[in-house]
Amino acid sequence: MSRFTVAATIALALALLGRVLYRRRYRQSLQPGAVALITGGGSGLGLELAKLFANAHCEVVLAGRNEAALKMAVQTCKEAGAPRAEYIAADISTADGTNRVRVEYTRLYASSAAPLKYLVLNAGAGAITPFTSEPAFEKICEDMMNINYFANVRLLQTFLPMLSKTHSTSSPSRVIVMSSLAGVLPSILRSAYTASKHAVQGFMNALRGETAVCITLCCPGYVDTDFHSRVLTNDGQPLAGSQRRGVSPAVCARQCVNGALCNDAEVIMTTAGKLGYHLRPFLTGIVDVMAKRKSLKSLEHH
């Protein structure tokens, strides 16, 4: 090994160590007693995110479609330390659903002094389907944009002004957005889903320049939840086999919240994702081939 290689390796190691120490020193904490509104909070990754806020003694409000799951999630959050936990049953993929979240939140907190400090935009859906000329594909594209993009835009129109009012340098308000590696890298057979994630990625990055509220985009790879079992397909049939694999939702949730508390703009959660993200502008063809292999491998049956 040459002296240059040794020096470069040492410099890289020192840089990484310095970054770790800096993040530990300046990482902020969640504010006890503040309110966190979490979409898709009834199960899976959303529930794990809610539990982190509950552990920090934040009040939590969970929004989602499955009322039975939301009721159980509320109890879980109370047991985890939330001084108050509420739920709002609504389908936020529709304008009526997001309006219901606004109305119900206003009702729940009409006489409360607890500040809304955290908005976690976790609800979403996936689609695994090849591009076709059939109307079914266009409908899937529309569905993906409604839940993964437009729902978040509408919720921000309501709640970003509230977050702005409670924001300060010493106690920042935060928006945490669950995006995906598909938001920064190509994902084969997922063009409709990928487009919706690119849309929310671009929207949030642009919005960050218009508000003082901290916005963190979280881009996990595969998370071990039932997300794949609910994806949309052209024929309307569930995927064969089991696609549950990847990092646990608890680990993913911790990485996302830690990144937000360190004021990261984006949290890319896998080594392969980080390499692809940084190398793609220079090695586009190679990265795209690797991304295609990864996408296809994820569909293999267990």
Side-chain angles (χ1 to χ4, degrees):
M1 185 180 293
S2 68
R3 291 182 178 180
F4 174 79
T5 302
V6 172
T9 302
I10 293 173
L12 178 60
L14 289 174
L16 292 174
L17 177 61
R19 184 173 185 271
V20 169
L21 293 175
Y22 177 87
R23 286 167 64 82
R24 287 183 178 178
R25 171 67 178 82
Y26 291 101
R27 179 184 182 277
Q28 294 174 307
S29 300
L30 296 172
Q31 180 180 319
V35 182
L37 172 59
I38 302 160
T39 65
S43 63
L45 181 56
L47 179 55
E48 293 299 330
L49 288 161
K51 285 160 61 176
L52 292 178
F53 287 95
N55 289 334
H57 303 293
C58 295
E59 299 185 10
V60 296
V61 180
L62 310 178
R65 292 183 297 180
N66 188 331
E67 188 167 8
L70 289 169
K71 288 180 179 179
M72 290 189 292
V74 161
Q75 184 59 36
T76 298
C77 289
K78 289 178 179 178
E79 294 171 357
R84 180 181 179 184
E86 306 282 356
Y87 75 86
I88 301 171
D91 178 3
I92 65 168
S93 68
T94 68
D96 286 344
T98 48
N99 186 57
R100 176 173 172 76
V101 175
R102 176 188 64 80
V103 171
E104 287 299 302
Y105 182 87
T106 301
R107 180 186 66 80
L108 288 169
Y109 279 85
S111 58
S112 173
L116 177 67
K117 298 289 291 184
Y118 310 109
L119 175 63
V120 183
L121 299 173
N122 166 73
I128 298 179
T129 176
F131 171 81
T132 75
S133 299
E134 298 300 319
F137 181 80
E138 183 181 351
K139 178 62 167 59
I140 287 175
C141 288
E142 182 180 349
D143 290 341
M144 288 297 97
M145 292 298 288
N146 280 335
I147 182 61
N148 294 337
Y149 176 68
F150 285 115
N152 293 330
V153 173
R154 291 192 297 265
L155 288 168
L156 283 166
Q157 286 181 303
T158 291
F159 293 106
L160 187 59
M162 297 185 194
L163 293 167
S164 297
K165 290 180 180 178
T166 62
H167 176 83
S168 68
T169 303
S170 60
S171 178
S173 298
R174 300 185 184 278
V175 177
I176 299 175
V177 186
M178 292 311 305
S179 182
S180 168
L181 283 183
V184 294
L185 292 170
S187 191
I188 307 305
L189 300 179
R190 298 169 174 86
S191 55
Y193 173 72
T194 297
S196 68
K197 289 301 184 180
H198 272 72
V200 78
Q201 199 89 9
F203 178 84
M204 296 296 173
N205 281 326
L207 181 62
R208 191 179 291 112
E210 299 182 32
T211 178
V213 174
C214 301
I215 299 176
T216 296
L217 284 155
C218 302
C219 303
Y222 299 104
V223 183
D224 189 13
T225 68
D226 64 351
F227 179 83
H228 275 79
S229 69
R230 295 179 282 107
V231 300
L232 301 181
T233 58
N234 275 345
D235 59 8
Q237 299 300 312
L239 292 173
S242 173
Q243 278 73 36
R244 291 192 65 151
R245 64 192 74 187
V247 69
S248 75
V251 169
C252 181
R254 284 197 300 272
Q255 290 180 347
C256 184
V257 172
N258 283 337
L261 294 176
C262 290
N263 293 324
D264 290 344
E266 293 181 331
V267 180
I268 310 293
M269 295 189 187
T270 70
T271 300
K274 291 174 183 176
L275 288 172
Y277 180 71
H278 291 293
L279 293 178
R280 190 170 186 268
F282 309 101
L283 302 171
T284 307
I286 294 174
V287 171
D288 284 2
V289 168
M290 298 302 294
K292 180 177 181 178
R293 288 178 182 174
K294 185 75 171 179
S295 295
L296 294 176
K297 185 174 177 60
S298 73
L299 300 179
E300 295 176 358
H301 300 175
H302 282 201

